[in-house]
């Protein structure tokens, strides 16, 4: 195979830029969210939906966009994603109430879905199998670099100026990403001559959105007939999506037979779902815990969040390189074990925890994530043929972001079940 090494580096640079931008805009909000909720007098539900609206839009669109990119070509979705993301980011910074901010965060998530659903497929199509692990190591490094920079930038911004610049600061980065992708990324050589699964896409989008909305609504407002029926309806619609995909395999956005017959693909996706469901809520709740309960400043809070992400930054390229040598299974399993240990160590913390107490636990979890992510991605993407790359990338990202969405929804449900509502409102809205 004739490998154009210059183009390989161009692909890594351009896709990694996207990988930095999307988590940066997520984590930059985590530290500043207590200030945002207080400034806009947001309710608990509106506050939860600042990160959740972004994530659920990502989650529900990853598979449809992944499939459309297989059919129509990947470059156009990658570049247009930057435009949508830029609009959502700018308008988020101009919002004047919680509902507006939640709406524009959803628009941001739609743009991010375009970028992320296609990025992994572009890497996998471009790189040969024996170099794919290190390519995804660079991709994961970029994701965690954005995750690392976010808390620091967010903490600095809310310490010296208005929270609105938390969003404005990423607009130039999105514009640069658009220019890079337009100029350098080549269109895919493989386009499928099949029909788009619009019915399945609609069932997926509606079903998952209603499930997450029902969980968050019921967790705080109360499990009345509305919230219960909403959650049940969402589960029924999502179940209908799975049945429809099974009955229409030729145009399905989720290859149920692939899940059934490809053990590596299924196990890798399930591991990603469980992994992100188990730990992702930490950044959101730790931010409020440290600032509202323990009384730390935003900058000190960002140190704890950096402890998590810097560990990922260091370990992800190393684990990607090792997965090319020894395989993915051992590294991913060890990573999940360390995440479990870190989460268990959080249980004894109370009202007098120190920065060291929190940071140590975050480092353990970060090391676990660094060991898990790159090998898991390489294993899943390497288990399918080239004509399934968009679907595989979308499926894996679906599991990750579905896990993140479920993590926030389930954690908010648990918190609302044990903490009185007036205390919860005080913590998350800043109203005494």
């Amino acid at each position: 195979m004739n490998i154009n090494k210059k183009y390989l580096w161009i692909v890594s640079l351009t896709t990694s830029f996207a990988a930095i931008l999307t988590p940066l805009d997520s984590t930059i909000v985590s530290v500043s969210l207590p200030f945002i909720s207080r400034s806009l007098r947001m309710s608990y539900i509106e506050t939860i939906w600042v990160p959740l609206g972004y994530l659920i839009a990502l989650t529900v669109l990853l598979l449809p966009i992944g499939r459309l990119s297989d059919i129509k070509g990947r470059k156009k979705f990658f570049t247009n994603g930057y435009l949508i993301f830029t609009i959502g980011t700018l308008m988020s910074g101009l919002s004047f109430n919680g509902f507006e901010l939640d709406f524009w965060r959803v628009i941001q998530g739609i743009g991010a879905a375009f970028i992320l659903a296609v990025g992994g497929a572009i890497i996998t199509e471009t790189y040969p199998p024996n170099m794919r692990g290190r390519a995804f190591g660079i991709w994961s490094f970029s994701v965690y670099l954005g995750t690392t920079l976010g808390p620091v930038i967010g903490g600095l911004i809310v310490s010296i100026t208005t929270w609105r610049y938390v969003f404005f600061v990423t607009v130039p980065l999105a514009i640069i990403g658009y220019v890079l992708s337009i100029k350098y990324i080549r269109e895919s050589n493989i386009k499928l001559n099949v029909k788009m699964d619009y019915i399945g896409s609609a069932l997926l989008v509606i079903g998952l959105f209603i499930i997450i909305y029902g969980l968050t609504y019921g967790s705080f407002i109360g499990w009345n007939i509305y919230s219960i029926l909403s959650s049940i309806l969402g589960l029924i619609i999502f179940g209908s999506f799975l049945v429809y995909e099974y009955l229409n395999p030729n145009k399905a956005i989720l290859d149920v037979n692939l899940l059934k017959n490809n053990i590596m693909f299924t196990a890798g996706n399930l591991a990603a779902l469980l992994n992100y469901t188990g730990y992702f809520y930490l950044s959101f709740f730790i931010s409020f815990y440290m600032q509202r309960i323990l009384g730390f400043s935003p900058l000190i809070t960002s140190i704890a969040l950096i402890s998590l992400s810097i560990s990922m930054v260091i370990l992800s390229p190393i684990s990607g390189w090792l997965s090319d040598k020894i395989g993915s299974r051992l590294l991913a399993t060890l990573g999940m074990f360390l995440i479990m240990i870190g989460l268990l160590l959080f249980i004894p913390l109370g009202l007098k925890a120190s920065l060291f107490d929190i940071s140590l636990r975050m480092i353990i979890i970060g090391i676990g994530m660094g060991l898990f992510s790159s090998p898991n991605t390489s294993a899943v993407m390497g288990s399918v043929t080239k004509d399934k790359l968009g679907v595989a990338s979308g499926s894996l990202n679906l599991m990750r972001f579905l896990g993140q969405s479920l993590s926030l929804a389930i954690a908010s449900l648990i918190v609302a079940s044990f903490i009185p509502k007036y205390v919860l409102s005080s913590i998350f809205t800043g109203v005494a």
Side-chain angles (χ1 to χ4, degrees), residues 8 11-12 15-16 19 74 118-128 131-140 381 389:
L8 294 184
V11 167
S12 282
T15 55
S16 294
R74 295 177 181 127
V118 182
I122 291 175
I123 291 174
T124 308
E125 181 182 35
T126 304
Y127 274 83
M131 298 177 66
R132 201 171 287 147
R134 71 194 73 177
F136 278 111
I138 295 172
W139 167 274
S140 297
M381 297 301 293
L389 289 178

Side-chain angles (χ1 to χ4, degrees), residues 26 29 33 47-56 105 284 408:
S26 177
V29 170
L33 194 52
T47 304
I48 285 287
W49 271 82
V50 172
L52 196 51
Y54 180 83
L55 288 173
I56 195 62
R105 287 287 284 173
F284 176 80
L408 283 171

Side-chain angles (χ1 to χ4, degrees), residues 378-404:
S378 181
V380 172
M381 297 301 293
S383 68
V384 300
T385 56
K386 281 194 172 184
D387 63 318
K388 297 289 186 180
L389 289 178
V391 173
S393 177
S395 298
L396 182 58
N397 282 310
L398 169 69
M399 294 302 162
R400 289 174 174 172
F401 289 107
L402 177 58
Q404 293 178 17

Side-chain angles (χ1 to χ4, degrees), residues 7 103 160 178 189 195 203 235 251 259 371 378 399:
Y7 183 64
F103 173 80
I160 62 178
Y178 174 76
N189 294 323
K195 293 183 179 180
L203 291 173
L235 288 171
K251 64 176 182 177
L259 289 171
L371 289 174
S378 181
M399 294 302 162

Side-chain angles (χ1 to χ4, degrees), residues 236-254:
I236 292 174
I237 294 174
F238 183 71
S240 301
F241 160 72
L242 294 177
V243 172
Y244 183 85
E245 297 301 282
Y246 180 76
L247 296 177
N248 297 272
N250 293 331
K251 64 176 182 177
I253 58 172
L254 177 65

Side-chain angles (χ1 to χ4, degrees), residues 47-77:
T47 304
I48 285 287
W49 271 82
V50 172
L52 196 51
Y54 180 83
L55 288 173
I56 195 62
L58 262 172
T59 303
V60 300
L61 288 176
L62 283 170
L63 280 183
I65 296 302
R67 188 58 167 174
L68 272 173
S69 73
D70 286 339
I71 298 172
K72 304 291 187 180
R74 295 177 181 127
K75 178 175 179 176
K76 64 182 70 175
F77 290 94

Side-chain angles (χ1 to χ4, degrees), residues 58 63 230 242 255 260 273 309 412 419 424:
L58 262 172
L63 280 183
S230 177
L242 294 177
D255 194 335
K260 181 180 178 182
L273 173 64
S309 52
S412 66
I419 298 178
L424 202 60

Side-chain angles (χ1 to χ4, degrees), residues 100-123:
E100 282 184 35
L101 180 56
D102 290 342
F103 173 80
W104 290 113
R105 287 287 284 173
V106 170
I107 301 302
Q108 264 190 306
I110 293 172
F114 276 66
I115 297 170
L116 292 179
V118 182
I122 291 175
I123 291 174

